[in-house]
Each structure stands twice: as C-alpha cells, then as structure tokens.
Amino acid sequence: MAAQDMTWTRENPRGWRDFMIEQCLVGDAWSGADDGSTLDVNDPSTGDRLGTAPKMGRAETARAVDRAQQAFRTYSAMPAAERGALMMKLHGLMIENQAALGELLCREMGKPLAEAKGEIAYGAAFVKWFAEEARRVYGDMIPSPWADKRIMVTHAPVGVVGAITPWNFPNAMIARKLGAALGAGCTMVCKPASATPYSAIAMAKLVEEAGFPAGTFSVVTGSAREIAAELCENPLVRKITFTGSTEVGKELASNALRHMKKVSMELGGNAPFIVFDDADLDAAVDGAIASKFRNAGQTCVCANRLFVQAGVHDAFVEKLVAAVEKLKVGRGYDEGVTQGPLIDRAAVEKVQEHVSDMVAGGATVLTGGEAAGGTFYRPTVVTGARPGMKVFAEETFGPVAPVFRFSTEAEAIAMANDTPFGLASYFYTRDLGRAFRVMEALEYGIVGVNSGIISTEVAPFGGVKDSGMGSEGSKYGLDDYMVRKYALIGGLAG
Ligand SMILES: NC(=O)C1=CN([C@@H]2O[C@H](COP(=O)(O)OP(=O)(O)OC[C@H]3O[C@@H](n4cnc5c(N)ncnc54)[C@H](OP(=O)(O)O)[C@@H]3O)[C@@H](O)[C@H]2O)C=CC1
Ligand SMILES: O=C(O)[C@H](O)CS(=O)(=O)O
C-alpha cells in the first residue's frame, strides 16, 4: 500500500495493515525504486508473500543522503530541549500504535505477538531515553596553563548517519540507533534487512508524523551491497552503524574506515551460560529459558553454550528439559505460541547441522532435535556436548541448548573464553567471591550474573573482539554520535 492511503482516528486506530507501506521515505518523498523494481517480503511462518518493498540502489540512497544533509543543518541547530520534545512525540506515537506495530513486526519476522509488542516498547524506551540524554550533552572548561587564555571543550553531532540493521529485531535495532542519532542532533539513512522492511518503513512514517524536518530519517530498501557502498563512500555520511553478522560487519567497517567515517558495530555472539554447583537451579533454568529461547534463539545475546558443573548437571538438565517441553511452537500470531518460526529454511538447515554434528560426536538429544515442518524447529536440549563440535565455535541462532559438563571454575572460564566472540555471557552462583572472580574473568562486553535477560536502554550494550565495537543505550550511547571540539580562547589579557 502507498503511504498516503492511510486514514485513521483515535477512536478508529490503525491496524498492522495500515503500517504495511510498500514504498520508502526518501527525504520527503514516498516512492518506489527509480526503475520500479521490487523485492518480495514473505511471512516466515507460511512462506506466503506478505507484500513487496522497493528494490532501491545507489541513486535513491544518494538522494536520501542529500536530503539528510539538508535536514541536518536545520535539526542539529535546534536546541536540545526542542529536539527532545520531537523525540517524545515519536515515543508517544510508537506507544499509541504499539499493537499495530507489534503485529506488523510479528507478521514480517515471525516472533510471537507478545514478544513483538514487547519489542516495540523496548524500541520506544531508547527513543525516550535519548530524548532525555539529549539535554545532558555537557562540555568542559579545563584550567588553562596561560593566564590570558581559556580552554573550552564542546560536543557536536557527527552529521549524517548511515545505518544497516538486521531482521531479528526489526524495530528495536533501528530505534536503538535512531534514538541516539536524534538525541545527538544527527540525521539518518537506514537500510533495514530485506526480510523485514515494514517495521523500518513504519518508523519513517511515525518520524514524519512527529514533525521532524523532512529528510531527518529516510529508509532505503533494496540491494544491500549497493546501498552500503553509497553510505560508506558518500562524503556527506559521517558515521556508519551496523547490527548483524560479524562477516558483514568486518566488510562494512573496513570500507567505512577507508572513507574515514566513525563506526559502531553490534555483531555476532557465542554466549556462555555457566551454572555452578552453588547456583539456585530453578532460577538458572528460568534464566536459561529466557536467554536461550527468546525469539526462538535468534538473538545475538542468546545463550549459545550451556556449561553445567558436575554436581548439579543431572538435576539442572532434568529441570531444563521439563521447562523446554512446555514451550509451544507455532505461527507467531496464533494464540499461546511461545516459539515462532526461524526466519527462513536456511536457518533451519544451519540449526539441524549443529544438532547432527553433536549427535555424530556422541552427544544425546534429550528433547526436540528435529525440524517441525517448514521454518519451524522443535526446542531442543542436547547433553554430552564437547569443545570441537560446531556448536562450540559457531553461533547457532536457533532454539537449541547444548549442555557441556565441567568440573572446576577455572575449566568453565577457560571454555567460556575460548571463542573469538565477546558479546554476552551469563553465570549462576550464590557465592559472592565467585561472582566477582568470574565476572572479572569473562572476556565479554556484557555479563548477566544470576540473570538470563540483560537488555535495557539504561545499560551500555556492546561487545568486544569479533562481537564488535561501541556501546548502544546508556549514558555512553551518545558518544558514538558526537564529535569533540576544543577551543583555545586567547586575547584575554587585561
Ligand atoms: N550484536 C547484535 O546486537 C546483533 C547481531 N546480530 C548477528 O547478525 C546475524 C544474523 O542477522 P542477519 O540479518 O542474518 O545478519 P546479516 O549480517 O546477514 O544482515 C544484516 C544486515 O546487513 C545487510 N547486509 C548483508 N550483506 C551485506 C553486505 N555485503 N554489505 C552491506 N550490508 C549487508 C543485510 O541486508 P539484506 O537483508 O538485504 O541481506 C541486513 O540489513 C547473526 O550473526 C547475529 O548474531 C543480529 C542481531 C543483533
Ligand atoms: O539483535 C539482538 O539480538 C538484540 O541486540 C538482542 S537484545 O538487544 O534484545 O538483547
């Protein structure tokens, strides 16, 4: 549907179809691709076509960047309080339309409706957080070594931001970046994942309705390589922010740095989930379910390897299997479903490859371990997993919990750190000394201690090593969207 077709009132709120816009907002123009080409968007639950999105490329991206630069001059000059007020209008529109945006997200990505609506609230929380942080971009006056000079430090928005985002959180991964960009005074051109364009386009619609200057936020769907090349090579773009696989992130970062742009990367993970003998087992099982099976295991912070100390191994595994067997697999928009489909059949094949590799290596499937038709995969628990298996080194990105047995704390830390990734990690203990020892020893950007959920807008989300660079959210989240200027004020002699 075209953007202009929408008519709604507060008494007659919009539904998800009202936000399923098959055009992109490039500057202030809603349009298709210059050559009219489109890409199909499918319902991951059924494989049926949901709709289309424009298949754009460099020309459309260049126009969006030009408009973003024009908008930047106006938007960055607004007082922070004024920008914050616009951001709070955007926040309000997201919350007011949470049900419709959530169902749209559920339809295009597949996650259960409750999770999808929760993602809208999570994304909106970043917009609100940075609406408030916008007014706390402070500077410094540094004591001068010269009596007749003063030293002043200020911060300014970096400029036009190019964003490329993944399919697994098609609203929140945009809102987490857009919130920081708008809070800093930047403008943005975003290329969402081709599998999930509609949530991004819906955000562009809400930014337009909130009253931001035209061109503040453009969405360009289509050829990833072409659009990314324009964003990395166009001198008007001053920063690239990316969430997705490490492989693509490294390619993007090297091209962006070749053109001397700021870069922030939220990449893949390989999270350890360690259960010590002294853990609260029921809490550990709850945390494992929350961390491993959220979004059907398709998050970069999902527990990817479960390490359980020998003294509690059998009791933990028994409780975990019982909890996993309560999960309900189905289409995200069907009642009571807690495990939606994987994004596509290739994802199912990769998950099966990991399970088959473990079984071939002598591991035992205690529950699940097979596809459930189409893009569905049964929630799975495997014991007897060992280092050297694919699942130890690769991110599964699916609902499979491989359990590794260990004996000592040192052994658990060594296995946990034996990976090039460093995003999220988790462990359960009731020993305070162990909590600090292990938290300090884990080589990760995020550590969940006695918690399987670590996602909040108030904390710095980010990885180390091959999991990326930069922090999203928190009081640190604006840093990557600002540049620092130092002024030496002379000529002050009396
Ligand atoms: N650290 C974090 O917060 C997160 C990390 N991830 C990681 O991402 C992976 C899964 O997400 P997935 O979407 O498949 O990741 P991808 O890296 O394949 O895709 C992410 C985005 O990059 C685009 N893209 C793909 N190839 C290129 C390219 N050569 N140049 C420029 N852009 C490109 C995609 O466009 P298109 O869709 O058109 O191909 C999409 O918009 C997992 O490894 C997961 O861990 C995912 C989410 C969050
Ligand atoms: O894309 C992801 O996996 C998200 O970063 C996970 S979270 O922010 O929802 O924890």
Side-chain angles (χ1 to χ4, degrees):
M1 104 178 244
Q4 296 76 358
D5 296 354
M6 300 164 86
T7 53
W8 60 283
T9 63
R10 287 196 189 288
E11 294 68 42
N12 175 29
R14 286 175 275 192
W16 68 272
R17 288 184 179 80
D18 294 318
F19 281 108
M20 210 187 90
I21 302 169
E22 295 176 300
Q23 294 180 311
C24 286
L25 179 58
V26 178
D28 57 357
W30 286 95
S31 68
D34 288 352
D35 64 4
S37 62
T38 60
L39 51 88
D40 286 348
V41 182
N42 301 324
D43 174 340
S45 292
T46 63
D48 296 339
R49 193 175 81 166
L50 197 57
T52 63
K55 194 169 185 179
M56 295 182 164
R58 293 197 74 145
E60 296 94 336
T61 306
R63 286 203 303 274
V65 169
D66 286 344
R67 289 309 311 270
Q69 179 62 22
Q70 291 167 30
F72 174 67
R73 292 197 192 95
T74 308
Y75 182 65
S76 61
M78 284 182 185
E82 201 175 312
R83 289 190 279 108
L86 279 175
M87 293 177 71
M88 285 310 294
K89 281 187 183 172
L90 174 59
H91 172 267
L93 285 166
M94 291 177 74
I95 298 302
E96 190 179 303
N97 294 284
Q98 182 177 4
L101 296 171
E103 183 156 3
L104 176 68
L105 193 155
C106 167
R107 298 265 172 182
E108 66 172 347
M109 188 263 144
K111 69 178 63 174
L113 190 53
E115 274 191 51
K117 290 177 181 174
E119 182 181 334
I120 302 301
Y122 180 47
F126 286 99
V127 174
K128 180 177 181 185
W129 173 264
F130 286 114
E132 296 160 346
E133 286 299 289
R135 302 177 64 186
R136 295 173 182 78
V137 177
Y138 302 123
D140 294 302
M141 288 299 285
I142 298 171
S144 169
W146 305 284
D148 63 342
K149 296 182 178 67
R150 297 292 180 269
I151 294 176
M152 186 171 75
V153 177
T154 61
H155 294 95
V158 66
V160 174
V161 176
I164 299 179
T165 53
W167 49 260
N168 61 341
F169 286 82
N171 174 279
M173 288 310 97
I174 292 174
R176 189 155 83 178
K177 301 173 187 308
L178 181 61
L182 295 176
C186 298
T187 54
M188 180 179 280
V189 177
C190 175
K191 190 215 90 62
S194 297
T196 55
Y198 297 129
S199 295
I201 295 170
M203 279 296 280
K205 183 67 184 146
L206 294 184
V207 168
E208 182 185 55
E209 289 179 8
F212 285 85
T216 300
F217 180 58
S218 290
V219 170
V220 183
T221 58
S223 163
R225 284 188 181 281
E226 279 192 40
I227 294 165
E230 182 62 29
L231 292 176
C232 287
E233 296 162 19
N234 188 316
L236 294 177
V237 175
R238 299 309 316 139
K239 175 186 171 60
I240 295 292
T241 177
F242 172 74
T243 296
S245 62
T246 293
E247 178 192 0
V248 172
K250 287 182 175 178
E251 179 184 327
L252 265 177
S254 62
N255 195 11
L257 288 172
R258 199 165 33 253
H259 295 84
M260 226 8 84
K261 300 182 196 301
K262 281 175 83 98
V263 164
S264 44
M265 293 278 141
E266 293 292 347
L267 307 179
N270 182 6
F273 187 102
I274 307 169
V275 182
F276 288 103
D277 281 345
D278 58 25
D280 173 337
L281 287 193
D282 291 328
V285 168
D286 290 346
I289 293 291
S291 170
K292 176 68 256 187
F293 295 96
R294 178 163 69 107
N295 204 12
Q298 302 173 113
T299 92
C300 55
V301 292
C302 282
N304 201 57
R305 300 165 292 157
L306 283 73
F307 299 108
V308 184
Q309 198 159 20
V312 294
H313 177 279
D314 296 351
F316 173 81
V317 166
E318 183 181 350
K319 288 173 178 282
L320 180 64
V321 168
V324 166
E325 290 181 341
K326 291 177 184 167
L327 298 173
K328 184 180 175 187
V329 177
R331 303 185 307 181
Y333 38 79
D334 287 347
E335 188 63 35
V337 165
T338 57
Q339 291 288 294
L342 303 191
I343 191 66
D344 56 26
R345 287 176 181 266
V348 174
E349 288 160 14
K350 177 179 178 185
V351 169
Q352 189 58 57
E353 181 191 348
H354 278 189
V355 172
S356 302
D357 176 68
M358 284 192 276
V359 171
T364 305
V365 173
L366 296 188
T367 186
E370 60 186 8
T375 51
F376 298 94
Y377 199 87
R378 296 198 191 293
T380 299
V381 176
V382 180
T383 55
R386 285 181 291 102
M389 293 176 173
K390 288 178 184 286
V391 74
F392 188 85
E394 299 171 8
E395 188 174 39
T396 302
F397 233 57
V400 174
V403 180
F404 301 72
R405 182 193 294 261
F406 74 91
S407 300
T408 67
E409 184 179 296
E411 182 190 359
I413 291 169
M415 286 200 287
N417 286 336
D418 182 12
T419 172
F421 294 100
L423 185 56
S425 56
Y426 310 86
F427 67 93
Y428 280 72
T429 179
R430 283 182 284 200
D431 180 311
L432 193 56
R434 169 170 282 162
F436 276 89
R437 281 197 309 273
V438 177
M439 184 269 286
E440 290 166 356
L442 287 172
E443 298 165 359
Y444 290 82
I446 304 167
V447 185
V449 183
N450 296 325
S451 175
I453 293 292
I454 42 80
S455 313
T456 167
E457 73 282 6
V458 308
F461 186 105
V464 297
K465 303 195 288 186
D466 272 6
S467 289
M469 58 186 71
S471 295
E472 296 194 315
S474 84
K475 68 173 185 175
Y476 304 101
L478 284 181
D479 295 351
D480 288 344
Y481 292 82
M482 308 290 291
V483 289
R484 187 169 300 118
K485 185 178 292 181
Y486 141 54
L488 183 76
I489 316 292
L492 305 180

